[in-house]
Amino acid sequence: MKKTQAARMENQVYSNRVARSEFDKNWRTVIGRGGYIIYIATANQAKVTVLLNNGSSKLITFNKGGRVLVGSGGVSHYSKPHFAKDL
């Protein structure tokens, strides 16, 4: 039986290892300066499932107003605080 890992709180984080991200319905999208796509959480418990280049996945949860900035080459910036859980 597999142990369930608790989500841990993280501060501002960035990654260049993101292969794919799936956002739930609680996000709006805007285009920011410098070409970044900005996803803004519209509700508490807004979720993003992230697949990393090494094949691992994470579930990242934000409160309302949380932001994810996505740039070219898989670069992603996650606002603080948020909760991350390995899947």
Side-chain angles (χ1 to χ4, degrees), residues 31-73:
I31 298 175
R33 295 182 139 192
Y36 278 92
I37 306 297
I38 303 169
Y39 297 89
I40 303 168
T42 59
N44 287 331
Q45 301 299 310
K47 296 183 181 349
V48 181
T49 303
V50 177
L51 174 63
L52 300 176
N53 291 338
N54 67 3
S56 66
S57 295
K58 292 186 179 281
L59 176 64
I60 305 175
T61 306
F62 291 83
N63 286 326
K64 185 175 183 177
R67 293 175 181 240
V68 177
L69 285 75
V70 179
S72 63

Short mmCIF file of all heavy atoms in Angstrom, two decimals, residues 31-73:
data_model
loop_
_atom_site.label_atom_id
_atom_site.label_comp_id
_atom_site.label_asym_id
_atom_site.label_seq_id
_atom_site.Cartn_x
_atom_site.Cartn_y
_atom_site.Cartn_z
N ILE A 31 -2.07 37.85 -20.66
CA ILE A 31 -0.72 37.90 -21.23
C ILE A 31 -0.01 39.09 -20.59
O ILE A 31 -0.49 40.21 -20.63
CB ILE A 31 -0.77 38.05 -22.76
CG1 ILE A 31 -1.46 36.82 -23.34
CG2 ILE A 31 0.64 38.20 -23.32
CD1 ILE A 31 -1.68 36.87 -24.81
N GLY A 32 1.13 38.81 -20.00
CA GLY A 32 1.88 39.85 -19.30
C GLY A 32 2.98 40.44 -20.16
O GLY A 32 3.26 39.97 -21.26
N ARG A 33 3.60 41.45 -19.62
CA ARG A 33 4.75 42.06 -20.29
C ARG A 33 5.88 41.05 -20.38
O ARG A 33 6.02 40.19 -19.53
CB ARG A 33 5.23 43.27 -19.51
CG ARG A 33 4.21 44.37 -19.50
CD ARG A 33 4.75 45.54 -18.76
NE ARG A 33 4.35 46.72 -19.50
CZ ARG A 33 4.81 47.92 -19.30
NH1 ARG A 33 5.73 48.12 -18.38
NH2 ARG A 33 4.40 48.92 -20.00
N GLY A 34 6.66 41.14 -21.40
CA GLY A 34 7.78 40.23 -21.56
C GLY A 34 7.38 38.87 -22.12
O GLY A 34 8.19 37.96 -22.16
N GLY A 35 6.12 38.72 -22.52
CA GLY A 35 5.69 37.48 -23.15
C GLY A 35 5.25 36.38 -22.22
O GLY A 35 4.94 35.28 -22.66
N TYR A 36 5.23 36.61 -20.91
CA TYR A 36 4.77 35.59 -19.98
C TYR A 36 3.25 35.43 -20.07
O TYR A 36 2.53 36.41 -20.24
CB TYR A 36 5.12 35.94 -18.53
CG TYR A 36 6.52 35.58 -18.15
CD1 TYR A 36 7.55 36.50 -18.28
CD2 TYR A 36 6.81 34.33 -17.64
CE1 TYR A 36 8.84 36.18 -17.93
CE2 TYR A 36 8.11 34.00 -17.27
CZ TYR A 36 9.11 34.92 -17.43
OH TYR A 36 10.39 34.59 -17.07
N ILE A 37 2.78 34.22 -19.94
CA ILE A 37 1.36 33.94 -19.75
C ILE A 37 1.15 33.88 -18.25
O ILE A 37 1.88 33.18 -17.54
CB ILE A 37 0.94 32.59 -20.39
CG1 ILE A 37 1.33 32.54 -21.86
CG2 ILE A 37 -0.55 32.34 -20.19
CD1 ILE A 37 0.66 33.56 -22.73
N ILE A 38 0.16 34.61 -17.74
CA ILE A 38 -0.07 34.68 -16.31
C ILE A 38 -1.42 34.04 -16.00
O ILE A 38 -2.45 34.46 -16.55
CB ILE A 38 -0.06 36.13 -15.80
CG1 ILE A 38 1.27 36.80 -16.17
CG2 ILE A 38 -0.30 36.18 -14.29
CD1 ILE A 38 1.29 38.29 -15.95
N TYR A 39 -1.39 33.04 -15.15
CA TYR A 39 -2.61 32.38 -14.68
C TYR A 39 -2.87 32.89 -13.28
O TYR A 39 -1.97 32.86 -12.43
CB TYR A 39 -2.43 30.87 -14.66
CG TYR A 39 -2.19 30.28 -16.02
CD1 TYR A 39 -0.91 30.16 -16.52
CD2 TYR A 39 -3.25 29.85 -16.81
CE1 TYR A 39 -0.67 29.62 -17.78
CE2 TYR A 39 -3.03 29.32 -18.07
CZ TYR A 39 -1.73 29.21 -18.54
OH TYR A 39 -1.49 28.67 -19.78
N ILE A 40 -4.10 33.37 -13.01
CA ILE A 40 -4.45 33.95 -11.72
C ILE A 40 -5.59 33.13 -11.11
O ILE A 40 -6.63 32.95 -11.76
CB ILE A 40 -4.86 35.42 -11.87
CG1 ILE A 40 -3.73 36.21 -12.53
CG2 ILE A 40 -5.23 36.02 -10.51
CD1 ILE A 40 -4.13 37.60 -12.98
N ALA A 41 -5.40 32.66 -9.88
CA ALA A 41 -6.42 31.86 -9.20
C ALA A 41 -7.63 32.72 -8.88
O ALA A 41 -7.49 33.80 -8.30
CB ALA A 41 -5.85 31.24 -7.93
N THR A 42 -8.82 32.25 -9.24
CA THR A 42 -10.06 33.00 -9.01
C THR A 42 -10.81 32.50 -7.78
O THR A 42 -11.84 33.04 -7.43
CB THR A 42 -10.98 32.91 -10.24
OG1 THR A 42 -11.29 31.54 -10.49
CG2 THR A 42 -10.33 33.55 -11.45
N ALA A 43 -10.29 31.46 -7.12
CA ALA A 43 -10.93 30.89 -5.93
C ALA A 43 -9.87 30.22 -5.07
O ALA A 43 -8.80 29.86 -5.57
CB ALA A 43 -11.99 29.87 -6.33
N ASN A 44 -10.17 30.06 -3.80
CA ASN A 44 -9.28 29.29 -2.93
C ASN A 44 -9.28 27.84 -3.39
O ASN A 44 -10.24 27.36 -3.99
CB ASN A 44 -9.74 29.37 -1.47
CG ASN A 44 -9.45 30.73 -0.88
OD1 ASN A 44 -8.51 31.41 -1.28
ND2 ASN A 44 -10.26 31.13 0.07
N GLN A 45 -8.20 27.14 -3.12
CA GLN A 45 -8.02 25.75 -3.50
C GLN A 45 -7.95 25.55 -5.01
O GLN A 45 -8.32 24.48 -5.53
CB GLN A 45 -9.12 24.86 -2.90
CG GLN A 45 -9.18 24.90 -1.38
CD GLN A 45 -7.89 24.40 -0.75
OE1 GLN A 45 -7.40 23.33 -1.09
NE2 GLN A 45 -7.33 25.17 0.17
N ALA A 46 -7.48 26.55 -5.75
CA ALA A 46 -7.26 26.42 -7.20
C ALA A 46 -6.07 25.47 -7.38
O ALA A 46 -5.06 25.59 -6.71
CB ALA A 46 -6.97 27.78 -7.82
N LYS A 47 -6.22 24.52 -8.30
CA LYS A 47 -5.23 23.46 -8.43
C LYS A 47 -4.57 23.43 -9.81
O LYS A 47 -5.20 23.72 -10.82
CB LYS A 47 -5.88 22.11 -8.17
CG LYS A 47 -6.39 21.97 -6.74
CD LYS A 47 -6.97 20.62 -6.49
CE LYS A 47 -7.52 20.43 -5.10
NZ LYS A 47 -7.29 21.36 -4.10
N VAL A 48 -3.29 23.06 -9.79
CA VAL A 48 -2.52 22.85 -11.01
C VAL A 48 -1.80 21.51 -10.86
O VAL A 48 -1.15 21.28 -9.85
CB VAL A 48 -1.44 23.95 -11.22
CG1 VAL A 48 -0.68 23.72 -12.51
CG2 VAL A 48 -2.05 25.33 -11.18
N THR A 49 -1.95 20.65 -11.84
CA THR A 49 -1.19 19.41 -11.87
C THR A 49 -0.04 19.62 -12.85
O THR A 49 -0.27 19.99 -14.00
CB THR A 49 -2.06 18.23 -12.32
OG1 THR A 49 -3.18 18.14 -11.44
CG2 THR A 49 -1.28 16.93 -12.27
N VAL A 50 1.17 19.41 -12.38
CA VAL A 50 2.37 19.69 -13.16
C VAL A 50 3.12 18.38 -13.44
O VAL A 50 3.39 17.61 -12.52
CB VAL A 50 3.30 20.67 -12.40
CG1 VAL A 50 4.58 20.92 -13.15
CG2 VAL A 50 2.57 21.97 -12.11
N LEU A 51 3.43 18.14 -14.70
CA LEU A 51 4.26 17.01 -15.11
C LEU A 51 5.65 17.56 -15.38
O LEU A 51 5.82 18.48 -16.20
CB LEU A 51 3.71 16.33 -16.36
CG LEU A 51 4.56 15.22 -16.95
CD1 LEU A 51 4.71 14.07 -15.97
CD2 LEU A 51 3.98 14.75 -18.26
N LEU A 52 6.65 17.02 -14.68
CA LEU A 52 8.03 17.48 -14.85
C LEU A 52 8.75 16.64 -15.89
O LEU A 52 8.34 15.53 -16.22
CB LEU A 52 8.77 17.42 -13.51
CG LEU A 52 8.16 18.27 -12.40
CD1 LEU A 52 8.91 18.06 -11.10
CD2 LEU A 52 8.13 19.73 -12.78
N ASN A 53 9.85 17.17 -16.41
CA ASN A 53 10.63 16.49 -17.45
C ASN A 53 11.14 15.12 -17.03
O ASN A 53 11.37 14.27 -17.87
CB ASN A 53 11.82 17.35 -17.88
CG ASN A 53 11.40 18.59 -18.63
OD1 ASN A 53 10.32 18.63 -19.19
ND2 ASN A 53 12.24 19.60 -18.62
N ASN A 54 11.31 14.88 -15.74
CA ASN A 54 11.81 13.59 -15.27
C ASN A 54 10.70 12.55 -15.09
O ASN A 54 10.93 11.46 -14.61
CB ASN A 54 12.60 13.75 -13.97
CG ASN A 54 11.74 14.18 -12.80
OD1 ASN A 54 10.53 14.32 -12.90
ND2 ASN A 54 12.38 14.41 -11.67
N GLY A 55 9.46 12.92 -15.47
CA GLY A 55 8.34 12.00 -15.40
C GLY A 55 7.54 12.07 -14.11
O GLY A 55 6.48 11.47 -14.01
N SER A 56 8.02 12.80 -13.10
CA SER A 56 7.27 12.94 -11.85
C SER A 56 6.19 14.00 -12.00
O SER A 56 6.25 14.85 -12.89
CB SER A 56 8.21 13.27 -10.69
OG SER A 56 8.78 14.55 -10.87
N SER A 57 5.19 13.94 -11.13
CA SER A 57 4.08 14.90 -11.15
C SER A 57 3.91 15.53 -9.78
O SER A 57 4.22 14.91 -8.77
CB SER A 57 2.78 14.20 -11.54
OG SER A 57 2.85 13.72 -12.85
N LYS A 58 3.39 16.75 -9.77
CA LYS A 58 3.09 17.46 -8.53
C LYS A 58 1.70 18.07 -8.63
O LYS A 58 1.29 18.48 -9.72
CB LYS A 58 4.09 18.58 -8.28
CG LYS A 58 5.48 18.11 -7.97
CD LYS A 58 6.37 19.28 -7.58
CE LYS A 58 7.75 18.80 -7.24
NZ LYS A 58 7.85 18.23 -5.93
N LEU A 59 1.02 18.13 -7.51
CA LEU A 59 -0.24 18.85 -7.41
C LEU A 59 0.07 20.11 -6.61
O LEU A 59 0.56 20.03 -5.48
CB LEU A 59 -1.30 18.02 -6.69
CG LEU A 59 -2.62 18.72 -6.44
CD1 LEU A 59 -3.31 19.06 -7.76
CD2 LEU A 59 -3.52 17.87 -5.56
N ILE A 60 -0.19 21.27 -7.20
CA ILE A 60 0.10 22.54 -6.55
C ILE A 60 -1.22 23.26 -6.33
O ILE A 60 -2.03 23.38 -7.25
CB ILE A 60 1.06 23.40 -7.40
CG1 ILE A 60 2.32 22.59 -7.70
CG2 ILE A 60 1.41 24.68 -6.67
CD1 ILE A 60 3.28 23.28 -8.64
N THR A 61 -1.45 23.72 -5.10
CA THR A 61 -2.71 24.35 -4.71
C THR A 61 -2.46 25.77 -4.26
O THR A 61 -1.54 26.03 -3.48
CB THR A 61 -3.37 23.55 -3.56
OG1 THR A 61 -3.48 22.18 -3.97
CG2 THR A 61 -4.74 24.08 -3.24
N PHE A 62 -3.30 26.70 -4.75
CA PHE A 62 -3.16 28.12 -4.46
C PHE A 62 -4.44 28.67 -3.85
O PHE A 62 -5.53 28.16 -4.12
CB PHE A 62 -2.92 28.91 -5.76
CG PHE A 62 -1.60 28.65 -6.40
CD1 PHE A 62 -1.42 27.55 -7.22
CD2 PHE A 62 -0.54 29.51 -6.20
CE1 PHE A 62 -0.21 27.31 -7.83
CE2 PHE A 62 0.68 29.28 -6.81
CZ PHE A 62 0.85 28.17 -7.63
N ASN A 63 -4.31 29.73 -3.07
CA ASN A 63 -5.46 30.49 -2.64
C ASN A 63 -5.81 31.52 -3.70
O ASN A 63 -5.02 31.78 -4.62
CB ASN A 63 -5.20 31.17 -1.29
CG ASN A 63 -5.21 30.17 -0.15
OD1 ASN A 63 -5.95 29.19 -0.17
ND2 ASN A 63 -4.37 30.41 0.84
N LYS A 64 -6.97 32.12 -3.57
CA LYS A 64 -7.43 33.13 -4.52
C LYS A 64 -6.36 34.21 -4.67
O LYS A 64 -5.79 34.68 -3.69
CB LYS A 64 -8.74 33.75 -4.03
CG LYS A 64 -9.35 34.71 -5.00
CD LYS A 64 -10.70 35.18 -4.51
CE LYS A 64 -11.32 36.10 -5.54
NZ LYS A 64 -12.66 36.53 -5.13
N GLY A 65 -6.08 34.58 -5.92
CA GLY A 65 -5.08 35.60 -6.20
C GLY A 65 -3.70 35.04 -6.47
O GLY A 65 -2.81 35.76 -6.91
N GLY A 66 -3.49 33.73 -6.20
CA GLY A 66 -2.21 33.11 -6.49
C GLY A 66 -1.91 33.17 -7.98
O GLY A 66 -2.83 33.22 -8.80
N ARG A 67 -0.65 33.19 -8.33
CA ARG A 67 -0.26 33.35 -9.74
C ARG A 67 0.76 32.32 -10.17
O ARG A 67 1.64 31.95 -9.40
CB ARG A 67 0.32 34.73 -9.98
CG ARG A 67 -0.70 35.83 -9.81
CD ARG A 67 -0.08 37.20 -9.93
NE ARG A 67 -1.12 38.19 -9.74
CZ ARG A 67 -1.46 39.09 -10.65
NH1 ARG A 67 -0.81 39.15 -11.78
NH2 ARG A 67 -2.43 39.94 -10.41
N VAL A 68 0.61 31.93 -11.43
CA VAL A 68 1.60 31.10 -12.09
C VAL A 68 1.98 31.84 -13.36
O VAL A 68 1.12 32.17 -14.18
CB VAL A 68 1.04 29.70 -12.45
CG1 VAL A 68 2.09 28.90 -13.21
CG2 VAL A 68 0.61 28.97 -11.19
N LEU A 69 3.27 32.14 -13.51
CA LEU A 69 3.78 32.78 -14.73
C LEU A 69 4.50 31.73 -15.54
O LEU A 69 5.36 31.02 -15.01
CB LEU A 69 4.75 33.91 -14.38
CG LEU A 69 4.14 35.20 -13.86
CD1 LEU A 69 3.67 35.05 -12.44
CD2 LEU A 69 5.14 36.32 -13.98
N VAL A 70 4.14 31.62 -16.81
CA VAL A 70 4.75 30.62 -17.68
C VAL A 70 5.42 31.33 -18.84
O VAL A 70 4.79 32.11 -19.55
CB VAL A 70 3.69 29.62 -18.20
CG1 VAL A 70 4.33 28.60 -19.12
CG2 VAL A 70 2.99 28.93 -17.03
N GLY A 71 6.71 31.04 -19.01
CA GLY A 71 7.48 31.62 -20.10
C GLY A 71 7.90 30.56 -21.10
O GLY A 71 7.47 29.41 -21.03
N SER A 72 8.75 30.94 -22.00
CA SER A 72 9.20 29.99 -23.02
C SER A 72 10.14 28.96 -22.42
O SER A 72 10.75 29.17 -21.38
CB SER A 72 9.90 30.74 -24.16
OG SER A 72 11.05 31.38 -23.67
N GLY A 73 10.24 27.81 -23.07
CA GLY A 73 11.17 26.77 -22.63
C GLY A 73 10.76 26.05 -21.37
O GLY A 73 11.59 25.44 -20.71
#
